[in-house]
Amino acid sequence: MFHIKKFQISPGVLILLSFLAVITVGCLLLQLPLMRLVDCSLMDLIFTAASATCVTGIQVVPISTFSFFGKCVILGLIQIGGLGLMTLSFSVLSLFLNFGIADRVTASKILDFEYWGRIKNFLKIIVSVTLCCELAGVVALYPILLRYFKPAQALFNALFYSVSAFCNAGISPEDGGVFEYMQNYKFMSVLGLLVFAGSTGFIVWQDLAVLVKRLFNFSGLRRAVPVFSLHTRIVFLASFGLIAFTTWLFWMFEWNNSFAGLSIGDKVANCLFNAVSLRSAGFTTIDYVHAALPVQFIVIFLMLIGGNPVSTASGIKTTTFVLLIATIIATVKTRSEVEIFNRTIPSDQVYKALVILGLSVAWLMSTFFVLILTDGGAFDTFYLFFEHVAAFSTGGLSVGIVGLLSPLGKCVLIVNMIVGRVGILTLLLALARNHARRNYKYPEERVLIG
């Protein structure tokens, strides 16, 4: 057994190298003539590989550019990216290498685990939930798609949609996305459930697994039904709250705009589907170029929030958003502690939420400045910012200008996708060196704020 220090590989470098390696391999495969039906530039192939691996879903070329084998490569990249290269890398590497104490502490921070020993059980949950949900999606989607395709094509599309939806990639196996199915509530229901399952987070699935195990035990012993962890309760509160708000948003502004001409039932189904898919997956039946201005504006913030921690979604995460709201409430009420559901949140997590928001905003502003320099003269600034946030949050929504960006502009979005998928604070924690804990602190002194 070799110690990881011999190879000078820190957990943070392992994460970054894993993403870069998968993107590189994916790009090399897509370059093969067998993978494409028409010629495609190297930059567009790199962008496609990065978008699939980071489960972003923004496309610079039509999916019809690629052959059946090319689509299979893209599907593989989505699956690898959706499972989470961070978790997968640490789990596989732990079988062969002995992590030192410092590396385990860093890995625990990155994965939000208190104990390294939970990683193997956690991996089992990830694989089991992923395979079960995706298989159920294929079974449910196949008879629906038989109305549109021959059996073999329907089966492949069902598999592609199932994996892409659960992994929150938002990539469709056919040109035009899911617009063709905006009057098929069964299709939208299955796809929406898969998106929700993937963005819920595997920690929540772990809590649900414990609940099911306790409720259906066969030992004959009566056990108390476990109470969900604070994390799970916050996830449910934020998820359903944001879905309800977004549904209302579409009902108010898109009912007679994007959904004009549909029946009332189809309008309701489209409002719900887009509300579930908006923050992380990118599947949409709304043309955001012609969407109402309030929708375009608020969608940017919803994409930035993203999904839940340790899931197939990205963004600053719903728990960070709830902690920020709770911090504001505590400050307004002049309380020294942040409280949620009768629990006090540790100060280090409050700091972390504030830092994530601050770093995300600073990163977006600085990289958007670069994007303005490269492509600001050719496109509307608001639309450019829309695509910029969609790449960072891996939300996948688009106003259709990505394919027209300059090579440097596309590079900015590629970096955005990688940083957004890994997590900007996670990346800094992973790449930072461990500093010795100080056994002293300086005297306190207050400053004027506001």
Side-chain angles (χ1 to χ4, degrees):
M1 301 290 283
F2 297 96
H3 194 277
I4 193 168
K5 292 297 183 180
K6 288 186 177 182
F7 298 99
Q8 296 296 313
I9 302 176
S10 69
V13 174
L14 174 64
I15 294 171
L16 195 55
L17 290 179
S18 297
F19 269 96
L20 295 177
V22 174
I23 292 172
T24 301
V25 172
C27 179
L28 291 175
L29 289 175
L30 292 177
Q31 275 191 297
L32 298 175
L34 180 65
M35 303 296 175
R36 291 173 286 109
L37 300 176
V38 296
D39 290 335
C40 190
S41 69
L42 177 60
M43 175 54 67
D44 287 344
L45 292 179
I46 295 174
F47 195 102
T48 300
S51 180
T53 304
C54 298
V55 290
T56 306
I58 300 178
Q59 294 173 274
V60 290
V61 292
I63 192 69
S64 59
T65 302
F66 303 97
S67 66
F68 169 76
F69 298 103
K71 292 179 181 179
C72 288
V73 171
I74 294 174
L75 184 62
L77 294 176
I78 292 172
Q79 185 71 90
I80 294 173
L83 280 175
L85 280 171
M86 289 179 291
T87 304
L88 195 61
S89 298
F90 284 127
S91 303
V92 173
L93 200 59
S94 66
L95 300 175
F96 303 99
L97 301 175
N98 289 322
F99 281 88
I101 294 177
D103 290 321
R104 294 192 180 198
V105 170
T106 303
S108 298
K109 289 180 180 178
I110 293 170
L111 296 174
D112 283 330
F113 288 153
E114 294 182 3
Y115 304 102
W116 178 257
R118 294 175 60 187
I119 186 65
K120 292 184 178 180
N121 291 332
F122 188 67
L123 178 60
K124 293 179 182 178
I125 292 176
I126 290 178
V127 175
S128 301
V129 170
T130 300
L131 293 180
C132 288
C133 288
E134 290 177 354
L135 180 60
V138 173
V139 172
L141 288 172
Y142 177 68
I144 299 174
L145 294 176
L146 272 177
R147 294 176 50 189
Y148 304 89
F149 304 99
K150 294 180 179 179
Q153 186 65 43
L155 180 61
F156 176 76
N157 285 4
L159 175 63
F160 199 106
Y161 273 121
S162 183
V163 173
S164 183
F166 182 81
C167 293
N168 281 226
I171 299 177
S172 173
E174 49 192 316
D175 291 341
V178 296
F179 281 90
E180 185 178 352
Y181 307 102
M182 64 187 306
Q183 291 182 285
N184 192 325
Y185 73 92
K186 292 182 180 179
F187 177 86
M188 289 189 293
S189 298
V190 175
L191 218 62
L193 287 173
L194 286 169
V195 169
F196 182 79
S199 65
T200 297
F202 295 106
I203 296 294
V204 176
W205 281 107
Q206 188 178 43
D207 279 1
L208 292 174
V210 172
L211 176 63
V212 171
K213 185 178 180 180
R214 292 289 180 88
L215 289 176
F216 298 96
N217 73 89
F218 300 97
S219 62
L221 299 176
R222 298 184 62 183
R223 300 180 182 178
V225 177
V227 179
F228 283 136
S229 66
L230 179 62
H231 169 84
T232 298
R233 284 181 283 171
I234 291 176
V235 164
F236 283 144
L237 169 68
S239 298
F240 290 118
L242 288 171
I243 289 173
F245 169 75
T246 311
T247 302
W248 170 84
L249 178 71
F250 291 137
W251 174 73
M252 283 290 294
F253 296 102
E254 298 299 329
W255 189 267
N256 293 316
N257 184 29
S258 297
F259 306 142
L262 299 178
S263 66
I264 294 179
D266 287 335
K267 287 182 177 181
V268 172
N270 277 271
C271 285
L272 285 170
F273 172 74
N274 284 278
V276 172
S277 176
L278 164 66
R279 289 178 292 110
S280 57
F283 285 118
T284 183
T285 57
I286 297 175
D287 183 357
Y288 281 95
V289 175
H290 301 106
L293 186 59
V295 171
Q296 293 177 342
F297 180 73
I298 296 177
V299 158
I300 292 177
F301 294 97
L302 292 173
M303 285 193 297
L304 184 59
I305 294 172
N308 303 305
V310 198
S311 72
T312 58
S314 298
I316 66 171
K317 303 299 174 23
T318 54
T319 49
T320 302
F321 174 70
V322 172
L323 255 63
L324 291 170
I325 298 298
T327 302
I328 293 173
I329 294 174
T331 303
V332 171
K333 292 183 176 180
T334 65
R335 293 178 178 173
S336 57
E337 292 87 16
V338 177
E339 300 170 350
I340 303 177
F341 290 128
N342 298 321
R343 294 291 187 272
T344 300
I345 305 299
S347 59
D348 65 299
Q349 289 201 312
V350 176
Y351 296 151
K352 184 177 180 180
L354 294 171
V355 169
I356 288 175
L357 178 63
L359 287 176
S360 298
V361 171
W363 174 268
L364 283 172
M365 293 300 102
S366 58
T367 50
F368 185 60
F369 176 75
V370 178
L371 194 59
I372 289 178
L373 294 178
T374 60
D375 295 86
F379 303 100
D380 182 88
T381 304
F382 180 80
Y383 285 166
L384 207 59
F385 188 67
F386 189 100
E387 301 281 8
H388 187 62
V389 175
F392 176 77
S393 64
T394 70
L397 298 181
S398 176
V399 289
I401 66 173
V402 180
L404 303 175
L405 295 178
S406 66
L408 287 177
K410 291 177 182 178
C411 286
V412 172
L413 295 192
I414 289 173
V415 174
N416 256 9
M417 288 188 288
I418 296 174
V419 173
R421 183 65 181 122
V422 174
I424 188 165
L425 179 60
T426 298
L427 188 61
L428 290 178
L429 281 174
L431 298 178
R433 295 180 179 179
N434 292 316
H435 298 282
R437 180 182 293 273
R438 296 190 306 184
N439 295 320
Y440 64 90
K441 69 175 184 177
Y442 295 107
E444 291 184 355
E445 182 174 350
R446 304 184 71 83
V447 296
L448 296 178
I449 297 177

